[in-house]
Structure formats: C-alpha cells, structure tokens
Amino acid sequence: NGVRAEIIESAPGRKNVYARIRGRRAGEGLLLLQHLDVVPANAADWDYPPFGGEIHLNQLHGRGAVDMKSIGLTHILAFLSVARSGRTPERDLVLLAVADEETNSALGTQWLLAHRPDVIDGVRYAFGEGGVNEMTAEKMVYFGIEIGGKQYSQARVEGPTLEALAQARFALQRYWLRREPERILPQVRAFFRDLAPTRYHFQPLLADVDAAVREGKFWELPNTYRELTYNITAMRWPVAAANGRYEAIIDLVDLPDENLDARLAWLAGQLAPFGVRITGTPTRGFAVPFSPTGTPLFRLIADQARHRYATTAGTMVLSRSTNDLRYLRVRGITCYGILPFPLDVFQSQSIHGTNERIRLDWFMNGVDFTRELVERWTFSEE
C-alpha cells in the first residue's frame, strides 16, 4: 500500500513490525500499539482449534480473538485506510506491533525503547489495549477509556520453616482485602463518578466516594472498586526449597504513584518477626503517571463512542491488569487504552481462557469505529 514496513528482530524468532505515515506537523504523532504474542492455548480444551480463526454462529473463535489480534487488525485496517486515501495527514501515524507483551515485554516494547527509540520520535499520543466496555441487553452502556492502572511487583521470600512462612502469610492477610481506603487518587475518584450512572446498587457510593467513607459505607462497594484505593500484599502458599528451607512468592499490587523501595522496606519489616526474609532481586513495577483526560484526543474518542454506539464514554482505571502503555506514559506520551467494539461478559471471560471468541458483527463495528476515529484525528487541522 505504498508504506515501507520494517521488521525489527529483537531476538531470534522475535520480530516487531514498525511503519509510519508522515504528516505535515512535527511532534503530534499518533501511535497505534499492539502486541503480536498471545498466551498459550491447549487445543484439547477448546471447542474449535485455538489457532484456526474459525467462524461459527457469528462468533470468531481463536486465541487472540479479543487479546489482542482483533484490536491489532482494527489498527492495521485504519492505518491502511489513511495510506490508501492518497492524502497527506496533518500528523504522523505510526503502527507498531510488538513481539512480547504477555511475558513482561522484554523483547517487545521495552527492547524497542532501549534499542530503537526512533520508533516513538514525534509521538504525542498512543492507542493500545486496556479499555473496558459494558453491555446491557446487547447495548453498550459505558465506553471505558483506560488512562492508567496499578503497578505490579513480585518478591521471593524465604523462611526457616513452613510454619514460619505460614504465620507470616496469615499476618499479611489484612493487607490483601481491606474495608477502608489508604488513598483515593483524584483519577480514581473521577473514574467512580464517571461509572456511577451505570450502577444501580452502588450509584450513590460511587458518585461521592468521600461521603461513603465518612458515612462508614465504603466497605459496601465491591472489592474490584475498593482495591483501587489501597496497596495489596498477598503471599502465595509456601513450598519447600532445594536448600531445606521454605520459600514463597509475594505479590505487591500498588497504587500507581507508590514508591516500591519504601514498600519493600515495609515488607521486610513485616516479615522479620517470623524469621522470613526477601531473597534475590524483586521483579519491580514502577510508578506510572495517569494520562490526562482534558485533551482534544480524549474528547474525540468520547465523541466517537457517542456517535458510533450512542453510549456514555468516560475513564477506566485498571485494577487487575497492565499493558505496554505504561512504558510510554513514563516517557511523557499520552496514552489511551481503547476496546473499539462491544464485548459481552461471556466473551470477556474468555480472555486468557478457553474458547476465546468475539461476535463477528461487533468486531466489524470495531473496525469501522477505529478507522473513523483515526481518520478524524489524523486529518484534522485543529
């Protein structure tokens, strides 16, 4: 289609794809970010071949049908639509498909930023995965634009006995599920307000979460909301180590702006009374700023959602997942996670599970949504 695409190999057999359409203006580029890898799939557990891409009863079946080959295809088709138009866009449009997202991005986005930073030259905004849409009776009732989420770290710990580790685990239990918040970040408060009109039972609590805290009603919110307001510390069941001692993994799921060194020092203090210590080098998350919502592009996404799906659009803050947009946010790029098509609860539950699938007509709606959105932004003179 007249656009040069470069295949960048980060390791043998691990390939990333990069292409760019140059626009008139510098420094205002839009990056369409996707990942090519998927989590494993055991064919014996599936109703249809997980890598067949077969269509049955208006459902497209296969690993990646949602996460995220489907979204990646909407990016590619939107990119090609701009290329085929024959018009010079106002802003650069960049397509980047990375090799490695599901296993920490060491050979994908992280590698490219370290070895090929030119791929993000002039990029101001980025689209990626992370958005969450909600459906009621096959109608979209909320288009959630992801602006950030929590940071994930892991620490390996070791204890002299199984009992010592078990005691430490029980002591940490209070930091797994909590009834009261540690801190309610402004972006989380705004997310609750955005979501409130769609929640029948929890609408008053979400609309004014500070009042809910003052009135002692915060605990009535589901944990998926509460956990956005505190750090989580969870020890997995300990196992016997080769050296005759016992070890376990502790998951730290922290607020986006939390300092990990301070958290690790706190954890060491909690473990010390039981003779348990942190060993090795923890897998570190890192503080990631939220993307702002007062941008022309955010308003355009919301307008596109209203135009295409006649729905309310607002923010989404992730509590239980991450994506590669976090590596771009720390570099000053404004990033929005977008799910461009409707998705019901059963299809969403198939992500990383068996029988991953998407309704074909809904997927095609996402193709049109992304194409129109990208064209509106890329060719806009505003």
Side-chain angles (χ1 to χ4, degrees), residues 160 164 167-168 171 266-277:
Q167 289 176 339
W266 170 87
L267 178 61
Q270 296 293 315
L271 298 174
F274 307 98
V276 178
R277 63 185 182 89

Side-chain angles (χ1 to χ4, degrees), residues 299-365:
R299 291 192 292 271
L300 184 65
I301 299 168
D303 181 74
Q304 180 69 15
R306 288 188 290 268
H307 169 74
R308 168 59 60 173
Y309 296 121
T311 190
T312 299
T315 56
M316 175 63 61
V317 179
L318 299 178
S319 63
R320 298 188 178 185
S321 61
T322 60
N323 56 58
D324 276 359
L325 294 179
R326 65 191 188 274
Y327 301 115
L328 302 179
R329 287 189 173 111
V330 296
R331 290 176 173 250
I333 297 174
T334 297
C335 301
Y336 299 122
I338 298 174
L339 184 67
F341 36 70
L343 196 70
D344 67 28
V345 64
F346 303 106
Q347 294 162 358
S348 66
Q349 289 174 344
S350 72
I351 298 172
H352 286 201
T354 58
N355 297 323
E356 186 177 355
R357 62 200 182 277
I358 184 172
R359 257 182 59 168
L360 193 59
D361 54 333
W362 287 355
F363 167 63
M364 296 307 297
N365 284 336

Side-chain angles (χ1 to χ4, degrees), residues 102-118:
E102 299 292 1
T103 54
N104 84 13
S105 310
L107 298 176
T109 300
Q110 289 197 78
W111 189 95
L112 289 165
L113 293 175
H115 298 88
R116 287 292 305 274
D118 58 291

Side-chain angles (χ1 to χ4, degrees), residues 45-72:
D45 298 331
W46 286 57
D47 293 339
Y48 303 102
F51 298 103
E54 297 182 5
I55 298 171
H56 299 274
L57 297 176
N58 198 34
Q59 301 268 351
L60 175 62
H61 292 255
R63 175 59 82 224
V66 181
D67 181 18
M68 70 168 294
K69 295 190 180 300
S70 55
I71 303 175

Side-chain angles (χ1 to χ4, degrees), residues 173-179 223 226-227 230 232:
Q173 198 81 356
R174 75 186 80 173
Y175 304 111
W176 179 17
L177 299 176
R178 302 199 193 182
R179 292 171 62 93
N223 186 55
R226 297 201 315 271
E227 65 188 18
Y230 57 77
I232 298 173

